[in-house]
Amino acid sequence: MNRRMNGDTLPGRDTGNRIWLNVLLFVLTAYTTTVAGTEMAVAMHMAVSPESFSPDFHSMELLWNPKVLILGIPFSGTLLLILGIHEMGHYLTSRRWMVRATLPYFIPFPSLIGTLGAVIKIKSRIPNRRALMDIGASGPLAGFVVALLALIVGLHLSEIVPVSNFAQGGISLGNSILGGWLTNQIIGDLPEGFAIYDHPIFVAGWLGLFVTALNLMPVGQFDGGHIVYAFGGARIHALVSKAALVVLAGLWALGPPYDWLYVQNGVSTWLDTRWPGWLIWILIALALGRRHSLTGDPDLVLDPFRKLMGYLSLIIFVLCFVPRPVSFSVP
């Protein structure tokens, strides 16, 4: 992972204009996310209408056959749009404040989603706390709007299928407060023996909201850390960052699920139910550093509008946070 998933403003040396690298990484990420989206789309089609696939279909076609790869474009296009809007929010706001910043670097990674996100690099000091609030909050706020729209569209496109149509084993996405409420409003109650098969656009929207929440964690150099520093300065930022890391550790150790409390025949253990992602994010936060770089004018206080931006970011964090993001079922 390059510094931070969908990482936001990161300090770095001026290495010159290398737009070719931005373009190359974007093209590679477009391919890897399209392959990932194709796998999702094929799995959904096979669950909803298995007769639509010929018996001689080979999984390797997911990598090269344009007629198959086109199925992955809805997921890939949606996810890249969310990540791009998020990072361009930072970039354009940086430019408005005359802060030097790079264009987004997308990070291709062959995986279930095809990417580790995108980053930009800040190459000059941020002048004051108002600029820091603008730059830190602009990405999550812009990305949130696009991700929310994608989630709503994806819910309308998702299918309700018999549980028996699901492949043995699989991945279940956790619900945030906002995601659960929207699912209840759009899908409603499910008939007995049926479940929702998530459309790839829904998955992209879910990822966008989840990444927004991750970036808004009030830790170190994350967007949430920028926002906390803009509100309270270095001392408050240090205290909140430490507290947030403790909460993350507690969430890993004591958060859901609680299957280990109901062990039957020694099958389920506490460690089996822990989601390792929170430990990874703790390590990433420590690697990036808990301290925040100083702004040019640390004494300039926030005006009411920028305080509103900070409060809105906090609300979005609470609404989008997922205590147990992913659960795996095995055959």
Side-chain angles (χ1 to χ4, degrees), residues 16-81:
N17 189 356
R18 298 185 297 180
I19 295 180
W20 65 266
L21 181 58
N22 302 85
V23 173
L24 175 61
L25 289 174
F26 176 80
V27 171
L28 291 174
T29 307
Y31 173 72
T32 54
T33 53
T34 298
V35 171
T38 302
E39 292 176 346
M40 295 179 200
V42 168
M44 180 176 181
H45 282 299
M46 293 185 73
V48 175
S49 54
E51 69 283 353
S52 62
F53 282 85
S54 61
D56 58 349
F57 172 76
H58 196 280
S59 60
M60 290 301 293
E61 293 185 54
L62 299 175
L63 300 176
W64 60 267
N65 189 339
K67 293 182 179 179
V68 180
L69 281 173
I70 196 172
L71 297 173
I73 291 178
F75 170 79
S76 177
T78 304
L79 183 59
L80 293 179
L81 179 64

Side-chain angles (χ1 to χ4, degrees), residues 59-244:
S59 60
M60 290 301 293
E61 293 185 54
L62 299 175
L63 300 176
W64 60 267
N65 189 339
K67 293 182 179 179
V68 180
L69 281 173
I70 196 172
L71 297 173
I73 291 178
F75 170 79
S76 177
T78 304
L79 183 59
L80 293 179
L81 179 64
I82 294 169
L83 297 178
I85 290 292
H86 181 120
E87 296 305 329
M88 288 305 293
H90 292 309
Y91 174 77
L92 294 175
T93 307
S94 298
R95 292 289 298 270
R96 183 167 61 85
W97 276 100
M98 305 299 291
V99 173
R100 296 177 60 242
T102 68
L103 289 168
Y105 293 95
F106 286 81
I107 308 173
F109 186 73
S111 62
L112 292 174
I113 63 173
T115 182
L116 293 177
V119 299
I120 70 168
K121 291 183 180 180
I122 292 294
K123 295 188 173 185
S124 61
R125 175 173 286 191
I126 297 175
N128 54 61
R129 283 156 61 177
R130 292 181 183 178
L132 181 62
M133 175 63 77
D134 287 354
I135 294 171
S138 59
L141 293 179
F144 168 78
V145 173
V146 184
L148 178 61
L149 293 174
L151 192 80
I152 293 172
V153 172
L155 278 171
H156 282 288
L157 295 175
S158 296
E159 298 281 354
I160 299 175
V161 300
V163 174
S164 59
N165 284 26
F166 284 75
Q168 292 297 315
I171 301 174
S172 297
L173 302 178
N175 263 333
S176 62
I177 295 174
L178 179 60
W181 181 79
L182 285 172
T183 300
N184 288 334
Q185 296 299 310
I186 295 173
I187 303 293
D189 296 329
L190 296 174
E192 186 71 25
F194 285 78
I196 303 172
Y197 208 109
D198 298 326
H199 191 276
I201 291 179
F202 170 86
V203 178
W206 184 93
L207 286 168
L209 293 182
F210 179 56
V211 168
T212 297
L214 289 179
N215 278 299
L216 286 173
M217 288 193 300
V219 178
Q221 300 293 319
F222 294 172
D223 289 337
H226 297 328
I227 292 169
V228 169
Y229 188 96
F231 260 114
R235 182 172 177 273
I236 297 299
H237 175 272
L239 292 173
V240 173
S241 288
K242 291 177 182 178

